[in-house]
Amino acid sequence: MATSKKYDVVVFGASGFTGQFVVEELGRVTSEEERGLTWAVAGRNQDKLNQVLEKASATIGVDLKDAVDVLLADIENEESLNDMAAQAQVVLNCVGPYRFFGEPVVKACLKNKAHHIDISGEPQFLETMQFKYDEEAKKKGVYIVQSCGFDSVPADLGVLYTVKNFPGRINTIESYLTLNAGPEGAVGHYATWQSAIHGLANAEELRNLRKEMGTKKPLPKSGPKLENRGPAHWSEMLQKWCVPFPGADASVVRRTQRFLYNNGENCPVQYGAFASIPDRIDLFKWQAASKVVTSLADTEFGLGLLEEYPRLFSLGYFSHEGPTQKQIEGASFNMQFIGTGYSNTVLEDGDYDGPPNMTIATQVEGPEAGYVTTPIVMVQAAITLLKEMKKFPAKGGVMTPGTAYKDTSLVERLSDRGVIFSITAPAASN
């Protein structure tokens, strides 16, 4: 596959909000340690793509215009997508929401044997692609690797990192996300909001898909059932109120655990994902806004209101404009993992019907989640795929990050770029 492709990487959707930051990160990496990597940017508008390269060049202090080609490709033009994919070893697909725009790119990549990496946090799109195209991807030796951004590499690889450093068998892992804003505050871009509200609006479709796929069947447990913490709970560790994390992390992690179990690699870990809320007042606001948004997403009229007024209904956390550069520079994230399980001694004695006897704490921390961490993760995911494909399972398929990268150096590569995995409390007896 490598010998017939003109480019190692093509960034599709480069002129989009997130695509701009992916281009800048890829420009940094290729001007530093990956100088031999060939790449191009792709999208609908030549002038906008040229502007992307100009802005990226000014931001990183490296002239990209002579080194990076521009390709024209449009979601609504199948021939243009095929032409783009035919020239790429790896397509970095930055065009969302993926439920509207993702599938044509996946199909073009499969047809032209280009690997595909997305940054989707949309469970319905992710699981639909696996259901429809996993077998074809395996037959063609193509890797369709999903959720290679803040959704959901920190969570998925964070769970595997925690398991790897636990001297025994982990039964449950809970993750707690804290998003830190700088003095300018924090806000997300409209495209992320749009993906989320359409996910709410189509929740029944996802439930039906899971029934058809057979993934609603529970996996075996190696100990007590994961505690149901309800719509909100107090975390003694964080000293904050926490709510279930509304993103794709839980879905992605469970798919990875199912894959590993089905391939005889481990006993599944039960996983819960949570996000911290600064105080009780913010918790009340969160719960009230969640009820309003969920209710409005049930109707076409309500969905239209949510799309038109994201700042109002998200309490200022999302806008059509997205964050400013100062907001991005001032933000960061921390995701803490608490794992409980059984020591090797207990396992050897065969006495693991009782409560777990060991606990471990790990974390993943990094810069702003959506537009700094996500480009770092996406670019390193592409480079790891190109360099370490022999370490990937099977010879292709539609995969989660944990499934694809579990035996690679991606965790170390990310740590070198500032997305750091670490043990905060080594495994110890309860």
Side-chain angles (χ1 to χ4, degrees):
M1 198 179 298
T3 56
S4 61
K5 301 284 186 168
K6 184 175 181 180
Y7 304 108
D8 294 315
V9 176
V10 171
V11 182
F12 180 55
S15 59
F17 193 85
T18 304
Q20 175 74 56
F21 294 103
V22 173
V23 170
E24 291 172 10
E25 176 62 17
L26 188 53
R28 288 188 195 94
V29 170
T30 54
S31 67
E32 295 168 3
E33 65 266 25
E34 301 295 339
R35 292 178 179 273
L37 188 143
T38 57
W39 62 291
V41 296
R44 293 180 298 176
N45 188 296
Q46 175 101 28
D47 291 338
K48 288 184 178 180
L49 292 169
N50 287 331
Q51 290 169 15
V52 165
L53 292 176
E54 288 176 5
K55 182 178 178 181
S57 298
T59 299
I60 68 176
V62 176
D63 186 6
L64 298 176
K65 291 205 69 177
D66 292 334
V68 181
D69 289 343
V70 172
L71 307 178
L72 295 181
D74 188 337
I75 288 294
E76 297 181 357
N77 185 326
E78 183 180 348
E79 184 180 353
S80 72
L81 293 179
N82 285 328
D83 183 61
M84 172 189 70
Q87 300 181 70
Q89 283 202 72
V90 181
V91 172
L92 298 186
N93 184 5
C94 302
V95 180
Y98 291 89
R99 71 164 48 249
F100 300 132
F101 308 119
E103 188 169 3
V105 188
V106 172
K107 291 172 69 174
C109 286
L110 286 169
K111 183 175 182 178
N112 295 279
K113 294 188 176 180
H115 306 300
H116 176 280
I117 291 176
D118 67 47
I119 46 176
S120 174
E122 305 164 54
Q124 186 177 353
F125 168 78
L126 299 169
E127 295 177 40
T128 299
M129 293 303 98
Q130 182 183 14
F131 183 61
K132 293 178 70 172
Y133 298 115
D134 185 50
E135 288 302 319
E136 182 180 353
K138 288 176 180 176
K139 290 177 181 177
K140 293 185 174 179
V142 173
Y143 290 103
I144 308 295
V145 192
Q146 305 176 318
S147 303
C148 288
F150 179 72
D151 290 315
S152 291
V153 164
D156 204 15
L157 295 190
V159 166
L160 297 184
Y161 178 86
T162 305
V163 170
K164 180 180 178 180
N165 286 282
F166 188 84
R169 179 187 294 169
I170 285 190
N171 178 46
T172 65
I173 294 178
E174 293 176 309
S175 66
Y176 290 87
L177 170 65
T178 299
L179 296 173
N180 305 304
E184 300 283 329
V187 66
H189 190 262
Y190 169 72
T192 303
W193 170 256
Q194 191 181 27
S195 298
I197 60 176
H198 280 276
L200 285 172
N202 295 279
E204 184 62 28
E205 293 180 11
L206 178 57
R207 285 190 285 270
N208 292 335
L209 172 66
R210 286 171 173 169
K211 288 180 183 178
E212 189 173 359
M213 292 177 67
T215 54
K216 288 184 71 66
K217 182 180 179 182
L219 292 169
K221 302 173 180 62
S222 62
K225 186 177 180 181
L226 180 69
E227 181 179 352
N228 182 353
R229 298 194 179 277
H233 71 276
W234 177 257
S235 168
E236 290 293 337
M237 175 183 66
L238 297 180
Q239 290 293 294
K240 292 180 180 179
W241 287 96
C242 297
V243 298
F245 179 62
D249 287 354
S251 166
V252 171
V253 169
R254 288 167 191 157
R255 286 171 58 208
T256 296
Q257 293 301 310
R258 186 174 292 276
F259 173 88
L260 296 176
Y261 173 72
N262 288 341
N263 285 272
E265 295 190 38
N266 77 331
C267 187
V269 173
Q270 301 177 73
Y271 174 69
F274 304 94
S276 68
I277 304 292
D279 54 43
R280 190 183 291 270
I281 294 175
D282 285 318
L283 174 63
F284 174 76
K285 291 179 180 178
W286 167 274
Q287 291 176 323
S290 296
K291 290 178 181 178
V292 171
V293 170
T294 301
S295 177
L296 287 174
D298 274 344
T299 68
E300 187 174 343
F301 175 75
L303 199 59
L305 288 176
L306 293 173
E307 290 188 312
E308 189 169 356
Y309 304 106
R311 189 181 291 275
L312 172 64
F313 290 109
S314 71
L315 302 179
Y317 285 108
F318 292 94
S319 73
H320 286 287
E321 301 79 20
T324 66
Q325 189 60 38
K326 284 189 176 181
Q327 287 175 322
I328 292 173
E329 292 170 357
S332 63
F333 82 92
N334 178 283
M335 186 177 286
Q336 300 193 45
F337 300 81
I338 302 297
T340 62
Y342 301 95
S343 65
N344 284 321
T345 302
V346 170
L347 294 175
E348 289 168 4
D349 293 340
D351 183 24
Y352 45 89
D353 292 329
N357 71 323
M358 292 192 78
T359 300
I360 186 174
T362 65
Q363 71 174 10
V364 183
E365 57 185 335
E368 189 276 337
Y371 313 107
V372 181
T373 290
T374 288
I376 289 172
V377 172
M378 192 181 209
V379 169
Q380 291 304 318
I383 291 171
T384 305
L385 193 161
L386 288 168
K387 291 194 167 188
E388 303 181 36
M389 200 180 303
K390 291 182 179 179
K391 297 180 181 179
F392 279 39
K395 293 182 180 179
V398 180
M399 299 182 174
T400 62
T403 301
Y405 294 103
K406 62 186 178 65
D407 296 322
T408 72
S409 65
L410 182 57
V411 165
E412 291 75 22
R413 288 176 179 275
L414 292 177
S415 292
D416 289 342
R417 303 294 295 185
V419 181
I420 301 170
F421 293 67
S422 62
I423 301 170
T424 54
S429 299
N430 296 336

